[in-house]
Amino acid sequence: MAGEDKKQQPFDSKAASSLVAELRGAFASGTTRSYQWRESQLRGLLRMTDEHEQDIVAALRSDLGKPELESVLYEAAMLRNSCKFALKELQRWMMPEKVKTSLTTFPSSAEIVSEPLGVVLIISAWNYPYLLSLDPVVGAIAAGNAVVLKPSEIAPATSALLAKLLGEYMDSSSIRVVEGAVPETTALLEQKWDKIFYTGNGRVGRIVMAAAAKHLTPVVLELGGKSPVVVDSGINLQIACRRIIVGKWGNNNGQACIASDYIITTKDLAPKLVRLPYPHVLVFSLYGVVSCTLPYLFQVDVLKNELETFYGKNPLESKDLSRIVNSDHFTRLTKLLDEDKVSKKVVYGGERDPTKLQIAPTILLDVPRDSLIMNEEIFGPLLPILTVDKLEESFDIINSGAKPLAAYIFTNDKKLKEHFVNNVSAGGLVVNDTTVHLAVHALPFGGVGESGIGAYHGKFSFDAFSHKKAVVYRSFMGDAAIRYPPYTNGKLRLMKALLGGSILGILRALFGRS
Amino acid sequence: METRGDLEVQLKGMREYYRGGNTRGASWRKSQLRGLCRLLEEREAEMNAALEFDLGKHPVEAYRDEIGGLIKSANYALGCLKGWMSAKKAKLPLAAALTTAEIIPEPLGLVLIISSWNFPFGLSLEPLIGALAAGNVVVLKPSEVAPRCSSLLANVLPAYLDPKAIKVVEGGPAVSEQLVKQKWDKILFTGSARVGRIVMAAAANHLTPVTLEFGGKCPAVLDSLSSSWDREVAVQRIVGSKFSACAGQACIAIDYVIVEKKFSSTLLELMKVRIGKMLGENPRESRSMARIVNKHHFLRLKTLLEDPNVKASIVYGGSMDEKSLFIEPTILLDPPLESDLMQDEIFGPLLPIITLKKIEDSINFINSRPKPLALYVFTHNDSLRKRMVAETSSGSVTFNDAMIQYMADTLPFGGIGESGMGNYHGKFSFDTFSHHKAVLRRSFLVDFWFRFPPWNDHKLQLFRSVYLFDYLGMLLTVLGLKKSKQG
């Protein structure tokens, strides 16, 4: 339906306004509030994903060159799990939450009722275009809202597929897709929504929030940042490197908001991750003699070895790596690589193929802190390694920058672990792994500071799209007289006792003693 | 008056103090909350005097609405702090063996609280309790429209709280404008929706999360009550809460009453009697009712009543004294719905009674207007109760009383739509000033070997089983007894 409209006329402010009015009418009719409707829509999403998995895989291959396994696991399967979890919990989530009331409001009972916000706008990103469009939709539907979804135009095949499939499987009186780019998004942002959920970058996030401010629309902004990985010594380096690799290049070739952006490790440990050019080897091996020579001899180049195991000697040819999404991002990434102060720091990879829009997994060592690559979110297959003398310095480095969406540490040192967990601020932290917290329904997924506002996943999705309404039930018995004029000292004493919550105080006040 | 340079230096100092970890520990937070408790105890007389000066509030009203509530909230926070600060374990499925997950609350950092003039202590210190309990450093900007209260806060807070972590900045709109342009980790604003938009737009530049507390036209729906006792109590609560809490200048004050036409005259009589009992023959002399805060608001309210059609609907009260900024309790019967009185938030001691044919019609009436901060319904009718909760939207709903929801520590206090976003009070205050950080800890010992490339169908099949938590299927696949699904 939405796809057809697009061909006929441009989606401008007027079209956006009438779309919102239509959905408000649908919401006002109460359709989306019933358990039956929410359940049927969630089942629809599930069926849609099951029945069209291959179409999804094909669209993702077209848009991103995404390997089938990544598409199936990180997009389709995760979305399915999201639907299933919501279906399992929906009745419980919809129930009012009874709360205790105290002496100050005695006698009374109270509860918190979750109600839908109304008509919500979800704007998604291009890197996980299926998941990041529909995972928020799961929350919006579970909470009983009407939804407009605006998928990213940078992943056009997936955008078109979503428009087609949602039109077929979902209740189009309350759930719609609007395709398009900046003009369409602008038209949508001019309207009054009851919530806007945006996944993308901080620059556009500011634009979204400013537009929302005009209508006092609450927002969830899922942004990004430079997610660091701190690597300590005394760990199983092979496992650590595998986890870092699959979290970085195994996630859309590094184009993921929670992919490891850069590594921080000690000057000692760096040579174990990647072999250094000869002169450095001499210097560090002398240094290393003092610390741990034997492991050094046997565990050098761990990162490189594992990368080769995963992607072969010719990673540009590997079918298990997504390509760079488009030439803009390709240019951006090669600029990061080719900056003067950085180009000589490449210790592995660096190959690129502009015709295939592919850049090989690339590791850089000791890039200067003021380089471009260390001052923007990389969002690609380049992994700088920063070295420090003592690992504790890494926390200051991380905390001196903008708070990232995720931060990771590999260590067996209990004290270091706790120091990290308590002192590094990020959306989420993982110890001894990367990115996997995304799949845990019980954890809120969202940023802080520059990495975002709000969170979702699991019940947090339901809450993000709900209004928590306080409901108090009072009886006609009780205290009315003391609260109001004419004011007397006796009333004041009784009131102090009531607010103080002390039964003895109340008795004293009632019987005239102060 | 501070210059912009001064302000930026101060904020930088506060951020450094925060980064030094000084505000993180439970003992610091408790000491601040205890400091507030001591302040409320020791300075009650001065606070009463300031409220009397700025708003003409009676000390009992001051205690009931502000000081008493703050003591309650500070003690509540002290009692709950340990639980609020502790990490919450999150449940994981069996497939995630040797993995633990938890949610750890951490402070946001440097936060800004902008408060309003009508409950100048309550609306400044209630958010402050939450911000301090959550371990933040705080700048508080009290309203200049209540100047004595503002300067009292500026003078006493440094004596009771850590002056490196809590600063009071006084001033008017120009100062507020300066403040909101800075980078904050959170802003909590109480005031009008108009200014709220400006605050949120400024916050957008820094991606600062906001909690905005506005007001709205909070309706009270009065159903037919068969017992005369219930009718008396209902009227007492309606009239008492409207006129005795800052003379109706409250975000959760009953703005107007809806009643069935056939009861309007009964209601009116009951109200007149009750007002008389509460405030006597001469309400101004009783000194039990606050005055209008300033000339600007006095003239605003006066203008509302000057509309001839509105004036004609006055059935009680209506007299005003500009010199003492006093307006007596005024009741209107069915003023025109298009009048400013019925379009804008009244925020004063004028109480319109709107009559409808059937009480159920009030649902559509309420829904055709912006969502209010509070909805009050006086009824015994269970089905009307259910319909009110299910079919209307407001920050909160209170049955058979008014304004009391403000004192409940376990309920979120906040609006929706034009009445605000976000909430606070009790644990909600702590949460609104915290970042809930997800933490996942994994072991090196366990992993799915098929997690890593190069990919093949076998690995894919294994993953499918894992995602379904189909452990048997996984085992069969590993043993080669289950074939991969065809794509």
Side-chain angles (χ1 to χ4, degrees):
Chain A
M1 295 283 146
E4 284 173 25
D5 286 339
K6 188 182 153 232
K7 289 185 196 114
Q8 286 160 14
Q9 67 235 66
F11 187 84
D12 57 6
S13 224
K14 203 153 149 264
S17 164
S18 69
L19 172 64
V20 172
E22 205 189 312
L23 286 176
R24 282 208 187 285
F27 179 74
S29 74
T31 324
T32 64
R33 303 182 77 130
S34 72
Y35 172 79
Q36 286 72 21
W37 183 87
R38 305 183 201 196
E39 200 232 16
S40 73
Q41 298 307 292
L42 292 172
R43 289 205 186 284
L45 278 176
L46 203 50
R47 257 188 6 257
M48 178 178 108
T49 308
D50 281 339
E51 290 168 12
H52 290 270
E53 192 182 272
Q54 283 313 300
D55 292 329
I56 297 166
V57 169
L60 292 168
R61 193 178 289 123
S62 160
D63 283 334
L64 299 151
K66 203 173 265 205
E68 181 180 353
L69 190 133
E70 279 188 48
S71 299
V72 168
L73 287 185
Y74 302 147
E75 302 225 34
M78 285 206 39
L79 197 270
R80 266 197 217 102
N81 274 3
S82 214
C83 288
K84 289 202 192 125
F85 188 72
L87 280 163
K88 181 163 155 260
E89 300 291 313
L90 187 59
Q91 259 175 348
R92 194 179 338 203
W93 291 347
M94 285 176 71
M95 272 175 18
E97 180 195 336
K98 287 226 171 299
V99 296
K100 277 203 329 226
T101 53
S102 70
L103 209 54
T104 43
T105 55
F106 183 83
S108 65
S109 67
E111 57 188 11
I112 302 172
V113 170
S114 296
E115 60 176 36
L117 292 167
V119 181
V120 307
L121 173 65
I122 295 172
I123 301 175
S124 81
W126 54 260
N127 56 339
Y128 288 81
Y130 193 77
L131 179 69
L132 296 177
S133 296
L134 296 180
D135 209 356
V137 171
V138 167
I141 290 174
N145 298 279
V147 185
V148 170
L149 169 65
K150 159 69 186 70
S152 172
E153 70 280 13
I154 297 180
T158 312
S159 175
L161 183 66
L162 282 168
K164 174 165 162 285
L165 291 181
L166 287 177
E168 284 168 20
Y169 283 80
M170 310 300 282
D171 175 1
S172 52
S173 72
S174 306
I175 300 171
R176 299 282 262 276
V177 177
V178 173
E179 293 195 80
V182 173
E184 288 79 5
T185 310
T186 307
L188 287 168
L189 286 174
E190 279 167 13
Q191 310 310 314
K192 177 174 162 62
W193 303 95
D194 297 304
K195 185 109 185 188
I196 300 177
F197 187 107
Y198 168 77
T199 306
N201 65 58
R203 189 188 60 85
V204 178
R206 283 168 165 79
I207 296 172
V208 170
M209 189 168 169
K214 295 206 177 77
H215 298 288
L216 294 170
T217 298
V219 300
V220 170
L221 304 175
E222 295 272 328
L223 311 174
K226 291 182 78 62
S227 299
V229 191
V230 177
V231 182
D232 191 14
S233 54
I235 58 167
N236 186 325
L237 258 186
Q238 192 182 41
I239 294 185
C241 286
R242 285 188 179 160
R243 292 178 178 177
I244 291 173
I245 292 169
V246 83
K248 169 93 168 179
W249 293 282
N251 261 302
N252 207 24
N253 207 5
Q255 300 163 101
C257 51
I258 47 170
S260 320
D261 190 277
Y262 64 100
I263 289 180
I264 308 183
T265 188
T266 53
K267 292 186 160 48
D268 244 3
L269 192 58
K272 298 188 193 180
L273 294 173
V274 284
R275 187 191 302 279
L276 304 168
Y278 242 104
H280 294 88
V281 168
L282 200 56
V283 171
F284 283 119
S285 63
L286 287 174
Y287 193 42
V289 159
V290 181
S291 39
C292 40
T293 45
L294 218 55
Y296 174 71
L297 291 175
F298 286 91
Q299 270 211 326
V300 76
D301 262 1
V302 182
L303 254 185
K304 292 182 185 177
N305 290 339
E306 294 303 319
L307 273 169
E308 227 170 79
T309 313
F310 290 4
Y311 303 115
K313 286 204 192 301
N314 222 335
L316 284 177
E317 310 288 318
S318 169
K319 288 206 181 54
D320 293 333
L321 286 169
S322 297
R323 61 152 211 270
I324 306 306
V325 67
N326 60 21
S327 50
D328 283 341
H329 280 277
F330 184 88
T331 309
R332 180 183 65 80
L333 288 163
T334 48
K335 202 163 140 221
L336 293 183
L337 260 187
D338 295 339
E339 193 189 6
D340 271 340
K341 44 181 112 167
V342 156
S343 52
K344 300 208 174 37
K345 305 287 186 176
V346 176
V347 293
Y348 179 85
E351 303 97 355
R352 68 278 318 248
D353 183 342
T355 56
K356 285 206 216 140
L357 285 180
Q358 191 51 288
I359 299 178
T362 301
I363 304 173
L364 307 97
L365 184 58
D366 280 331
V367 295
R369 301 262 188 89
D370 60 351
S371 55
L372 287 175
I373 202 172
M374 281 313 294
N375 282 288
E376 64 177 68
E377 186 176 0
I378 294 169
F379 225 71
L382 321 175
L383 181 66
I385 301 177
L386 289 187
T387 58
V388 291
D389 291 315
K390 282 205 336 265
L391 213 54
E392 284 76 3
E393 294 168 49
S394 63
F395 302 159
D396 292 327
I397 295 176
I398 299 169
N399 283 336
S400 69
K403 298 179 183 182
L405 187 52
Y408 309 115
I409 188 167
F410 284 88
T411 182
N412 279 324
D413 180 337
K414 207 155 173 239
K415 233 174 115 211
L416 195 69
K417 249 186 239 185
E418 290 321 305
H419 193 77
F420 180 80
V421 166
N422 292 318
N423 290 290
V424 171
S425 185
L429 303 178
V430 185
V431 176
N432 295 334
D433 209 329
T434 67
T435 71
V436 285
H437 61 303
L438 187 77
V440 178
H441 293 299
L443 288 175
F445 184 77
V448 61
E450 284 288 325
S451 51
I453 296 178
Y456 72 128
H457 284 188
K459 181 166 194 286
F460 302 100
S461 291
F462 177 86
D463 291 341
F465 289 102
S466 297
H467 166 50
K468 300 292 177 182
K469 185 161 80 177
V471 182
V472 183
Y473 300 90
R474 291 266 290 164
S475 88
F476 287 99
M477 307 298 276
D479 65 47
I482 76 150
R483 285 152 57 190
Y484 306 122
Y487 297 126
T488 64
N489 280 333
K491 282 188 183 179
L492 180 58
R493 275 201 300 276
L494 190 51
M495 199 182 306
K496 286 195 175 189
L498 267 176
L499 278 167
S502 133
I503 307 270
L504 203 58
I506 294 171
L507 288 172
R508 281 214 200 100
L510 276 173
F511 291 110
R513 305 257 177 87
S514 60
Chain B
M1 186 67 103
E2 291 184 13
T3 65
R4 195 180 67 180
D6 285 342
L7 177 63
E8 282 170 10
V9 165
Q10 281 209 331
L11 295 183
K12 192 155 170 270
M14 290 180 82
R15 274 201 192 285
E16 268 161 33
Y17 189 67
Y18 170 74
R19 282 217 192 95
N22 296 293
T23 64
R24 304 290 298 253
S27 60
W28 182 88
R29 305 185 199 196
K30 283 200 170 155
S31 74
Q32 301 311 295
L33 293 171
R34 287 197 194 101
L36 272 176
C37 287
R38 267 191 350 263
L39 185 164
L40 293 164
E41 207 180 319
E42 291 171 14
R43 306 293 195 142
E44 189 179 336
E46 286 156 83
M47 291 170 82
N48 282 337
L51 287 169
E52 219 266 299
F53 185 88
D54 284 338
L55 292 152
K57 280 196 194 188
H58 189 283
V60 175
E61 179 185 338
Y63 190 86
R64 181 195 68 200
D65 294 342
E66 301 204 52
I67 298 168
L70 289 168
I71 294 173
K72 162 196 74 69
S73 298
N75 282 318
Y76 185 74
L78 273 165
C80 296
L81 189 64
K82 189 153 167 249
W84 292 350
M85 283 177 71
S86 63
K88 306 279 175 297
K89 287 229 169 302
K91 232 178 78 166
L92 292 175
L94 195 59
L98 291 184
T99 303
T100 62
E102 55 187 7
I103 303 170
I104 297 181
E106 58 177 33
L108 289 168
L110 174 62
V111 308
L112 173 64
I113 296 171
I114 301 177
S115 73
S116 172
W117 52 261
N118 52 343
F119 295 87
F121 294 121
L123 298 175
S124 298
L125 301 181
E126 183 76 47
L128 184 63
I129 289 171
L132 294 174
N136 298 280
V137 294
V138 187
V139 169
L140 171 62
K141 158 70 185 70
S143 172
E144 74 285 7
V145 181
R148 274 286 165 93
C149 296
S150 172
S151 75
L152 182 62
L153 283 170
N155 289 331
V156 307
L157 279 181
Y160 290 85
L161 303 176
D162 182 347
K164 292 210 189 76
I166 299 110
K167 294 208 198 289
V168 179
V169 175
E170 294 195 81
V175 169
S176 293
E177 208 178 320
Q178 267 272 51
L179 284 171
V180 296
K181 285 203 179 103
Q182 305 302 316
K183 177 171 161 61
W184 305 94
D185 297 304
K186 175 95 190 196
I187 300 177
L188 190 149
F189 168 83
T190 306
S192 72
R194 186 189 64 85
V195 179
R197 281 175 167 82
I198 299 172
V199 171
M200 188 170 171
N205 279 331
H206 298 287
L207 295 171
T208 299
V210 298
T211 296
L212 306 174
E213 298 269 333
F214 308 143
K217 291 183 78 65
C218 301
V221 176
L222 182 55
D223 191 12
S224 58
L225 300 167
S226 47
S227 138
S228 70
W229 169 271
D230 292 353
R231 280 199 295 272
E232 292 267 355
V233 171
V235 169
Q236 199 172 47
R237 289 173 177 177
I238 291 171
V239 150
S241 65
K242 170 80 173 187
F243 299 114
S244 81
C246 208
Q249 300 163 103
C251 51
I252 45 171
I254 295 173
D255 191 277
Y256 61 98
V257 176
I258 298 177
V259 75
E260 270 181 14
K261 200 170 176 63
K262 55 188 193 238
F263 297 116
S264 58
S265 48
T266 318
L267 175 60
L268 189 51
E269 286 318 303
L270 285 170
M271 282 185 172
K272 287 180 184 174
V273 168
R274 179 47 52 184
I275 293 174
K277 284 206 180 128
M278 254 187 6
L279 301 168
E281 285 297 312
N282 198 331
R284 181 149 61 97
E285 310 266 306
S286 77
R287 307 194 59 224
S288 289
M289 196 168 131
R291 56 154 215 271
I292 307 306
V293 69
N294 58 20
K295 197 153 256 167
H296 163 79
H297 281 280
F298 182 90
L299 291 172
R300 178 183 64 80
L301 290 162
K302 186 158 176 259
T303 310
L304 288 182
L305 290 183
E306 275 167 1
D307 178 336
N309 293 320
V310 169
K311 204 173 194 162
S313 68
I314 299 178
V315 290
Y316 181 86
S319 73
M320 310 184 168
D321 177 43
E322 189 161 336
K323 205 164 129 243
S324 59
L325 292 177
F326 189 82
I327 297 179
E328 68 164 321
T330 302
I331 306 176
L332 307 94
L333 186 56
D334 281 321
L337 297 177
E338 333 74 55
S339 62
D340 285 344
L341 180 83
M342 282 310 294
Q343 292 290 315
D344 303 333
E345 187 176 1
I346 294 172
F347 229 67
L350 319 175
L351 182 61
I353 300 176
I354 306 294
T355 62
L356 299 176
K357 227 171 115 206
K358 279 185 357 265
I359 202 68
E360 288 80 6
D361 296 341
S362 60
I363 293 177
N364 279 339
F365 189 94
I366 293 165
N367 284 340
S368 59
R369 288 166 171 75
K371 300 178 185 183
L373 187 51
L375 168 62
Y376 304 110
V377 185
F378 293 81
T379 184
H380 281 305
N381 184 331
D382 210 40
S383 94
L384 180 68
R385 254 207 292 255
K386 289 200 171 80
R387 283 192 67 194
M388 281 291 176
V389 173
E391 295 177 35
T392 68
S393 184
S394 54
S396 66
V397 184
T398 301
F399 287 100
N400 305 333
D401 208 332
M403 295 184 74
I404 196 150
Q405 73 277 17
Y406 187 83
M407 286 299 166
D409 299 305
T410 51
L411 289 174
F413 182 77
I416 176 84
E418 287 290 317
S419 52
M421 69 175 74
N423 51 45
Y424 70 125
H425 284 194
K427 183 170 193 288
F428 301 96
S429 291
F430 179 87
D431 289 342
T432 211
F433 286 106
S434 297
H435 166 51
H436 295 273
K437 186 166 74 181
V439 180
L440 192 69
R441 297 163 203 265
R442 294 262 294 148
S443 151
F444 280 102
L445 293 177
V446 183
D447 220 348
F448 295 128
W449 60 269
F450 49 89
R451 234 182 110 180
F452 309 110
W455 303 132
N456 54 46
D457 278 341
H458 184 64
K459 287 187 182 178
L460 180 53
Q461 176 63 2
L462 281 169
F463 261 117
R464 284 187 196 280
S465 305
V466 169
Y467 270 70
L468 292 170
F469 303 121
D470 175 11
Y471 302 112
L472 181 61
M474 196 165 91
L475 183 61
L476 293 175
T477 308
V478 167
L479 294 175
L481 297 172
K482 191 170 176 185
K483 284 282 176 291
S484 331
K485 260 197 203 144
Q486 281 315 88

